[in-house]
Each structure stands twice: as structure tokens, then as C-alpha cells.
Amino acid sequence: MNQLTGKDLTKLLCFLLIVSFVVSCKKEGTENQSKTPHDLLTAHKWRFYTYGNSYDGQQVEWAPVSSLIMEDCLKDEYLQFTKEGKMIMSQGTLICFPNQPLSNSYDYSLSADNSQIEVTNGERMKIIKLNADTLEYIIVTNGSVQQARAWVTY
């Protein structure tokens, strides 16, 4: 039976250390690569971040977040998309509009190419950015100026 010398043992430990480092490394951003747009959309609640306008349906002029003057009751409103195809619009816990329902629920679906969210309240939302932290969309209308909304994870 061969015995390992101190030099051989050092080489073996270095090799095992390198192998464990390579195996444990993961490519940056891989968690989004394996998730579908539907997975990203339904992963959590979305909190309102900012709004903007689109004059061509492509580019958005976002309002600087620092310029937004919002009442506290608007800051905790959220959107939630469920895996079962429901979009919930909630006033949150701080109620701005006591005469309105605390939340509204609508059916939604993603277009076949995952570029739009179609909602039964008549809205079509053209997705311009969707990742684990951000949802940005343009509300599709027939007018020349289209509103845009940006939401971040809750």
C-alpha cells in the first residue's frame, strides 16, 4: 500500500480545493435564465415605483422618482399576479379611497410571445422589462401618448 507524502498530500488538497471552487461557482444571472416570464411575474407582489409616458409605444420618458409626490397610502399599493391567472390590484393596508374596494381581481394572460399582459378589465400591457426585480410596461391605447408604469419587488 502506497503512503502519501507531504508533497502529494498538498497537491491533492490543492486539486480538491480547485475542483470544489469550480463546482460551487454559478454563472451570474442564471436564476433568471431558467425562469419563464410567467414565473417572474408570479414570484411576488409588485410595488409601484414610477410612471412615465411613451410617445411612440417603444421608448419611455420616466418621471424621476425624486420628483414623485405620493401620499403614503399610494406607496403601499401593489399588483400581484397569481399562477392561476388572476391579477390583483390592492390598495394595501393604508387606504386612500375608502369608498372603493380594498382590491380588485381580474383574469389575465400572457400573449403567446410573452410580450404583453392582457387583462379582462380591458388593459393590454406591453412588457418592456421583466426580471426578478423589475416590471415595466406600457399601457397600450389607441392614443398618441401611452402611459407607462414601473413596479419593483415588494
Side-chain angles (χ1 to χ4, degrees):
M1 190 165 161
N2 284 342
Q3 286 210 329
L4 293 175
T5 64
K7 200 177 203 180
D8 292 334
L9 190 56
T10 302
K11 286 180 184 178
L12 179 62
L13 288 174
C14 285
F15 173 75
L16 291 174
L17 182 63
I18 290 171
V19 168
S20 67
F21 178 74
V22 170
V23 170
S24 69
C25 288
K26 83 174 179 181
K27 202 175 198 178
E28 189 175 324
T30 55
E31 64 272 354
N32 278 353
Q33 292 175 354
S34 63
K35 292 187 177 183
T36 67
H38 190 256
D39 292 337
L40 292 170
L41 201 58
T42 60
H44 42 71
K45 296 176 183 175
W46 297 94
R47 173 177 58 82
F48 178 74
Y49 180 67
T50 190
Y51 65 90
N53 291 313
S54 175
Y55 298 95
D56 63 1
Q58 304 293 323
Q59 300 295 317
V60 176
E61 293 180 13
W62 294 107
V65 175
S66 60
S67 72
L68 296 178
I69 300 172
M70 291 195 315
E71 295 179 42
D72 287 340
C73 62
L74 292 173
K75 293 178 184 175
D76 77 336
E77 290 188 358
Y78 66 86
L79 277 180
Q80 183 176 13
F81 295 89
T82 69
K83 293 182 186 295
E84 296 77 33
K86 296 286 183 190
M87 180 185 83
I88 301 162
M89 300 173 76
S90 175
Q91 287 196 57
T93 56
L94 303 173
I95 309 303
C96 285
F97 310 102
N99 296 334
Q100 293 183 4
L102 296 178
S103 65
N104 291 307
S105 178
Y106 304 97
D107 292 331
Y108 81 92
S109 62
L110 282 169
S111 60
D113 63 357
N114 295 314
S115 67
Q116 291 191 28
I117 303 167
E118 299 170 12
V119 186
T120 55
N121 69 353
E123 282 190 353
R124 279 188 308 136
M125 306 166 184
K126 179 181 176 183
I127 298 171
I128 53 177
K129 182 177 183 180
L130 176 60
N131 60 36
D133 303 315
T134 306
L135 166 62
E136 296 177 358
Y137 60 82
I138 297 171
I139 299 172
V140 179
T141 63
N142 293 329
S144 58
V145 179
Q146 299 173 346
Q147 295 181 342
R149 300 282 184 271
W151 302 77
V152 294
T153 56
Y154 202 80

